[in-house]
Amino acid sequence: MKNKHIGSSFEDFLKEEGIHDKATSHAIKRIIAWKLAEAMKAKNISKTEMAHRLKTSRTQIARLLDPENDSVQLDTIQKAAAVVGKRLTITLEDLPRSAA
């Protein structure tokens, strides 16, 4: 018997509202910013030192680490990841048949 109090998923709600793609992109950027900040902390790299290593300004590093800033370019993320000993990987996955 299906529970009548259980509705659609949160993902379905985002799709119905027309904000699924934007919310997903924003979540990905937040995760990347958090992981870079954590890696910098683990390697004891300050924003100033990160800026020096990337040959950019501290302001640019602040933008990179700002979870609300969705306009960071992939090459910038790749370079920052390399500085903290990480590699950026991206995959394309098949959508479930019902979503395609």
Side-chain angles (χ1 to χ4, degrees):
M1 177 176 185
K2 192 169 183 175
N3 187 334
K4 67 180 183 177
H5 299 291
I6 296 177
S8 61
S9 69
F10 185 64
E11 189 170 7
D12 289 339
F13 168 76
L14 293 174
K15 287 177 183 175
E16 288 169 12
E17 294 296 312
I19 58 173
H20 179 266
D21 291 344
K22 183 170 176 67
T24 300
S25 296
H26 188 70
I28 291 168
K29 172 53 173 81
R30 289 182 68 92
I31 291 167
I32 290 170
W34 174 73
K35 286 190 172 220
L36 280 173
E38 289 297 306
M40 286 171 61
K41 214 181 291 181
K43 297 271 185 176
N44 202 28
I45 300 172
S46 68
K47 288 180 185 177
T48 302
E49 177 61 22
M50 186 73 150
H52 176 73
R53 292 183 187 189
L54 290 173
K55 297 178 176 65
T56 190
S57 68
R58 190 178 185 284
T59 303
Q60 289 295 87
I61 299 305
R63 286 186 191 120
L64 172 67
L65 299 175
D66 179 359
E68 301 302 319
N69 184 350
D70 293 336
S71 64
V72 178
Q73 295 184 348
L74 285 177
D75 64 329
T76 302
I77 296 169
Q78 285 178 303
K79 290 174 188 173
V83 167
V84 295
K86 304 288 184 184
R87 177 180 60 181
L88 177 68
T89 59
I90 299 172
T91 62
L92 291 176
E93 300 174 353
D94 291 332
L95 291 172
R97 284 205 168 265
S98 62

